[in-house]
Amino acid sequence: SLFRLKHLEVPKLGDCDVHVRMLAAPINPADINMIQGTYPLQSPLPAVGGNEGVGQVLEVGRCVTALKPGDWVIPADAGLGTWRTRGVFPEDALLKVPSDIPLLCAATLSVNPCTAFRVLADFESLAPGDSVIQNGANSGVGQAVIQIARASGIKTINVVRDRPDLPKLVERLMALGADHVITEEMLRKPEMKDIFKSIPRPRLALNCVGGKSTTEMLRHLQPKGTMVTYGGMAKQPVMVPVSAFIFRDLRLRGFWMTQWRKDHAQDQETVAAMMDALCQLIRRGQLTAPACTEVPLQDYSTALDTSMKPFVSSKQILLL
């Protein structure tokens, strides 16, 4: 296996460093892709896996002002290496988060909810009553999109793959605030028209799958609408009929959270406003952690295997 559990010395604390005890860290698809070497981010080897998680500050270097022992922190950027019990990191590699939010919410905050927040905010100016269509709706981002949209009065049409326990999944997404949950096959059916009797056609489509279902999803967008691709779980290209461009002037855009963070490294206000908005939603009970399975670190190989199986609707979280 590419993985080993190793005992390392914790490095000496520099003046601008923070000693962190990691509490919990999820396994995300991008973490796996990084390990496989198929992701545009690569850490110099040997590396610690994991791009997301939450830790508690144990001690800080003498020049550190924004953090103190006891504070909760999450990575400010991808590539931190969160699958560890302790680490010493530069202060600017960390963001403080409130410690009064649930642990699993904090552990899963920096990737999926941030992605959901940005794709809803940055491409189309949506108002209450507008609608959004998304595939991979049971993914971490999908679940966050449903809840953030719901809190802003935006309707969601949620596409999932057909599966043996479909009714259970539909029920779970509806409980999160989904307005409609449909299968990829339904996208092609005339019954789709019934949905648009009660809600407007979406101006925004969110794609993390690719392939045929994405092409089908595009057919339901309003003219001049936008499709944002932020993932490609089907590992198939996005195919667009020429007519969608010429006669409906649809826009196709891409989004990568890592790039957004790079672009906003000097814009701490925008970053803080987003984290604030998300933590407010969490405190009000309007944004919950995705369905999670907690796994102790020593069982990491089981957790990794599980996270790569199809139709797993639960995010594996390493407890550190």
Side-chain angles (χ1 to χ4, degrees):
S1 144
L2 294 161
F3 280 97
R4 280 205 295 283
L5 202 50
K6 287 187 75 162
H7 289 277
L8 304 171
E9 285 288 303
V10 175
K12 210 166 102 25
L13 191 70
D15 287 345
C16 300
D17 287 343
V18 180
H19 183 185
V20 176
R21 177 170 79 92
M22 291 303 298
L23 301 171
I27 299 174
N28 290 317
D31 302 329
I32 306 280
N33 297 149
M34 266 175 87
I35 292 148
Q36 292 165 336
T38 58
Y39 204 66
L41 267 191
Q42 287 171 358
S43 307
L45 298 173
V48 179
N51 289 297
E52 189 179 36
V54 63
Q56 189 170 36
V57 175
L58 293 174
E59 67 180 312
V60 300
R62 41 184 203 99
C63 301
V64 174
T65 52
L67 295 170
K68 58 184 190 309
D71 285 348
W72 276 15
V73 289
I74 62 173
D77 224 332
L80 191 68
T82 52
W83 300 344
R84 60 171 103 210
T85 54
R86 289 175 178 220
V88 169
F89 308 109
E91 177 184 18
D92 60 12
L94 303 167
L95 290 176
K96 183 178 164 175
V97 292
S99 53
D100 66 346
I101 61 174
L103 181 72
L104 294 181
C105 286
T108 55
L109 183 59
S110 64
V111 178
N112 295 164
C114 290
T115 300
F117 188 91
R118 298 267 53 109
V119 295
L120 284 171
D122 294 352
F123 296 91
E124 287 282 344
S125 49
L126 299 170
D130 284 344
S131 74
V132 173
I133 188 167
Q134 63 165 346
N135 58 22
N138 57 315
S139 66
V141 174
Q143 293 174 59
V145 162
I146 290 170
Q147 296 173 85
I148 295 167
R150 176 69 181 273
S152 331
I154 294 160
K155 310 285 182 197
T156 57
I157 302 161
N158 301 279
V159 185
V160 296
R161 285 182 298 175
D162 200 2
R163 62 194 63 216
D165 59 346
L166 183 68
K168 217 153 108 199
L169 176 61
V170 171
E171 196 183 321
R172 216 180 72 211
L173 297 182
M174 296 299 277
L176 288 180
D179 294 282
H180 298 274
V181 182
I182 59 176
T183 61
E184 294 185 341
E185 291 69 36
M186 268 256 341
L187 280 171
R188 298 182 193 84
K189 301 254 165 72
E191 292 90 293
M192 281 300 289
K193 285 196 192 67
D194 297 339
I195 290 181
F196 301 122
K197 284 177 186 154
S198 58
I199 61 175
R201 284 187 176 268
R203 283 215 312 269
L204 181 66
L206 306 174
N207 166 45
C208 67
V209 179
K212 220 199 222 91
S213 79
T214 305
T215 309
E216 295 294 339
M217 198 165 64
L218 274 177
R219 299 210 336 232
H220 302 294
L221 272 186
Q222 278 186 36
K224 295 197 186 316
T226 305
M227 182 172 79
V228 181
T229 293
Y230 67 90
M233 296 305 277
K235 297 188 168 61
Q236 287 162 356
V238 170
M239 308 280 275
V240 185
V242 170
S243 60
F245 280 131
I246 300 174
F247 303 120
R248 292 169 54 225
D249 192 15
L250 295 184
R251 268 161 262 252
L252 267 64
R253 301 285 308 272
F255 182 80
W256 187 30
M257 194 64 220
T258 303
Q259 187 62 48
W260 187 93
R261 288 196 191 283
K262 274 201 187 75
D263 296 345
H264 293 79
Q266 300 316 309
D267 178 8
Q268 281 316 302
E269 251 173 82
T270 305
V271 177
M274 168 174 71
M275 300 314 289
D276 241 25
L278 291 170
C279 289
Q280 284 298 352
L281 289 172
I282 291 168
R283 281 203 196 90
R284 287 192 215 119
Q286 292 179 305
L287 178 61
T288 54
C292 290
T293 304
E294 302 173 44
V295 184
L297 181 61
Q298 49 274 25
D299 301 340
Y300 70 90
S301 57
T302 321
L304 282 164
D305 291 345
T306 307
S307 70
M308 293 197 266
K309 291 197 174 95
F311 299 125
V312 173
S313 293
S314 188
K315 200 180 273 285
Q316 305 294 301
I317 307 259
L318 298 171
L319 292 184
L320 309 160

